[in-house]
Amino acid sequence: MQLVYAFDAYCGWSHGFSGTLGEVVSRHPELPVEVVSGGLFTGSRRLPIREFGYVQGSNAQIAQLTGAEFGERYERLIADGSFVMDSEAAARGTAALRGAAPERAAELAAALQHAFYVDGLSLSAPATYRTVAEAAGLDADAVVATFEAPEASAAAKADFRRTAELGVTGFPTLLAVDGPHVTVLAVGRATADQIDRRLTSLTAAR
C-alpha cells in the first residue's frame, strides 16, 4: 500500500494541509508517498488573482482552521491583484523537485507552497525552484534545467491525467492505494489522528 497525495501548489487548502501531511508521513515511514499535481488554474482559469474574489476570505478561514501561515510578501501579491497563478508551471516545478528526491516528495511539495504562500515567490519563475532546491540541499542547476526542459510539460500533463484517473475532484486529496483498491483518507482538511484511524480501519479490513 502507498499514499497518494493529490494537490495543487496554488491551492490554499493544500497549503493548509501541509502540516497534516508532514505528520502523517513522519508517523508512517513504511508507506511510500506519491505526490501528484492537479490543474486548478489552467486554460481559461489562468487569470489575474484579482479575478478570484474569494481568495482573501478563504485564506482567513484556512489560517483559522489549520494554523497555516500566509506571509506579508504573499499578501502584497493579493493586494496588487495582477499576479497570474499557472498550475501547469507549478506542476512542472513539482515534477522537477520530485525527480531530484522522490523519497522527499511530500516535504518538497510543502516547501514549494511555503515559497508562494509565505515568501510570495512565483511558481512560474525558475529562480524559485533554485531557491527551494538549494534550501533542500538538492542540485539546484539540475532542478532548474528539468523545470525548463520540454519534457516538464509532459510530466505536468501526466500528473493531471493521474489525478483524473484516481477520481480526484478537489484539492488536497490524500488516498491510500493498494493495487486496484483506492481509498479516500482525506479531502480538504483532516488531522493526522483522523487519518491514522482511517488507515487503521483499512489495515484491519485487509
Side-chain angles (χ1 to χ4, degrees):
M1 184 169 68
Q2 69 168 341
L3 301 177
V4 178
Y5 178 57
F7 88 122
D8 192 291
Y10 279 124
C11 168
W13 286 103
S14 295
H15 175 52
F17 195 78
S18 292
T20 293
L21 180 65
E23 180 63 24
V24 170
V25 171
S26 69
R27 291 183 186 186
H28 296 281
E30 78 283 3
L31 294 177
V33 183
E34 177 188 357
V35 174
V36 290
S37 294
L40 193 56
F41 299 103
T42 57
S44 62
R45 285 180 57 82
R46 202 157 28 186
L47 298 168
I49 204 167
R50 69 168 67 91
E51 300 295 325
F52 302 96
Y54 59 82
V55 168
Q56 285 178 307
S58 180
N59 288 347
Q61 185 182 22
I62 293 165
Q64 180 182 16
L65 293 174
T66 70
E69 178 186 0
F70 294 87
E72 290 183 9
R73 282 173 286 188
Y74 166 76
E75 295 292 353
R76 286 199 290 271
L77 279 182
I78 297 293
D80 174 75
S82 62
F83 181 79
V84 176
M85 296 181 290
D86 182 351
S87 292
E88 193 269 346
R92 288 179 6 237
T94 298
L97 289 165
R98 183 178 64 209
E103 73 287 353
R104 297 171 63 190
E107 168 199 339
L108 293 168
L112 195 56
Q113 295 213 278
H114 187 281
F116 177 61
Y117 281 105
V118 179
D119 299 331
L121 300 178
S122 170
L123 303 185
S124 294
T128 297
Y129 299 97
R130 179 173 297 282
T131 297
V132 173
E134 287 176 347
L138 303 177
D139 184 338
D141 288 339
V143 168
V144 171
T146 301
F147 170 70
E148 294 181 319
E151 294 79 9
S153 291
K157 291 174 183 175
D159 271 19
F160 298 162
R161 286 195 301 272
R162 175 79 165 139
T163 58
E165 289 165 359
L166 288 167
V168 173
T169 57
F171 306 107
T173 293
L174 183 65
L175 305 169
V177 178
D178 191 359
H181 304 291
V182 178
T183 303
V184 177
L185 298 175
V187 178
R189 67 185 181 93
T191 66
D193 287 342
Q194 288 171 330
I195 292 169
D196 264 357
R197 287 194 290 272
R198 291 164 193 164
L199 279 170
T200 299
S201 298
L202 186 61
T203 303
R206 291 170 65 184

